[in-house]
Amino acid sequence: VDYVTNRRLREALLDGHSMEAQFMPGADNDASKDICVMSAMQSGGMGIILPAGSGDICWWVSVSPNGVNRWCKVSSGVVPRKGEYYHVVGIWDKAAGKALLYVNGELKGSSDASGELVQPATNDYKWLCVGGDTAKDAAESAFNGDVALARVYDAVLDESAVKALWDEAGKDFGKSVTDIQDVLYLPECNVSAGSMIPVSATGLRGVAPRWAATATT
């Protein structure tokens, strides 16, 4: 979601905001590297992330008190498990100078986050990535799994609003009827809209084991 030219969205983030995501890991937790569920974090920004080392659900936001940039990192202590859905809300409250993190409707952590929001340094990185983190002309720190819900609010949600979102969120997503295995993951695949992405796996219904999908973004 590009916000370089979307001045309304860009400016709406500056006075406090909330980010909501509901996701399910599709692979066992790999704490050897950063994994981003939904973020825009390149020399500034914010995001919901499973960081290297801990692998738990975290909310990061970059702020600048007194002109000094720093990352405010809020940890939940909740390490997501493969096949389970988690509802997450990260909040930056500029007025209170706080960052807060909720998982499944419960407050899991908070931290000082006073100052101004630091946005990514260049326009190349001013976009929100669902299922990864922003990089120039591509995404990185990709998430393996399902992101069922992704929203950003121009509001600092209070506890009752977060609990209402959790109550309204889907709880029973069922199970996939297609057992896809032996997926070949490409180390890098830069594509443009309308181009073809080669996919290789077994278990795809009604198609050959190797097929091509059309990129829409």
Side-chain angles (χ1 to χ4, degrees):
V1 181
D2 179 11
Y3 59 91
V4 173
T5 58
N6 190 334
R7 181 177 177 181
R8 181 181 178 186
L9 173 59
R10 189 172 66 251
E11 293 184 350
L13 298 171
L14 298 177
D15 61 355
H17 58 269
S18 305
M19 181 180 288
E20 176 191 16
Q22 188 169 18
F23 64 92
M24 177 197 72
D28 293 328
N29 188 276
D30 180 3
S32 67
K33 56 186 178 182
D34 292 341
I35 298 174
C36 294
V37 177
M38 180 183 181
S39 65
M41 302 189 301
Q42 288 288 344
S43 302
M46 60 281 169
I48 296 171
I49 180 175
L50 313 178
S54 63
D56 67 326
I57 300 171
C58 294
W59 167 240
W60 289 11
V61 60
S62 182
V63 294
S64 177
N66 303 318
V68 179
N69 297 358
R70 72 180 182 90
W71 281 104
C72 172
K73 303 176 181 180
V74 185
S75 301
S76 69
V78 177
V79 178
R81 294 185 291 185
K82 177 183 176 180
E84 293 188 15
Y85 279 89
Y86 298 83
H87 181 266
V88 179
V89 178
I91 298 169
W92 177 56
D93 186 340
K94 180 180 179 180
K98 290 288 185 180
L100 304 98
L101 176 62
Y102 291 81
V103 178
N104 294 345
E106 296 183 5
L107 179 63
K108 293 297 184 179
S110 64
S111 179
D112 173 69
S114 57
E116 302 295 326
L117 178 68
V118 178
Q119 295 197 1
T122 69
N123 288 342
D124 290 330
Y125 305 113
K126 289 182 180 177
W127 54 285
L128 293 168
C129 181
V130 178
D133 189 31
T134 54
K136 187 175 181 179
D137 302 323
E140 61 184 17
S141 302
F143 172 73
N144 180 344
D146 178 28
V147 181
L149 181 67
R151 296 176 178 150
V152 179
Y153 299 88
D154 174 25
V156 176
L157 302 179
D158 59 20
E159 185 174 5
S160 62
V162 173
K163 288 184 176 180
L165 291 177
W166 164 238
D167 290 340
E168 295 169 2
K171 302 299 190 297
D172 183 10
F173 290 89
K175 295 184 178 180
S176 173
V177 297
T178 303
D179 184 16
I180 300 176
Q181 300 179 11
D182 304 321
V183 180
L184 174 64
Y185 292 98
L186 302 177
E188 183 174 346
C189 185
N190 295 325
V191 298
S192 58
S195 62
M196 305 302 288
I197 308 171
V199 178
S200 180
T202 58
L204 299 171
R205 290 190 174 186
V207 296
R210 185 171 180 86
W211 61 291
T214 302
T216 57
T217 59

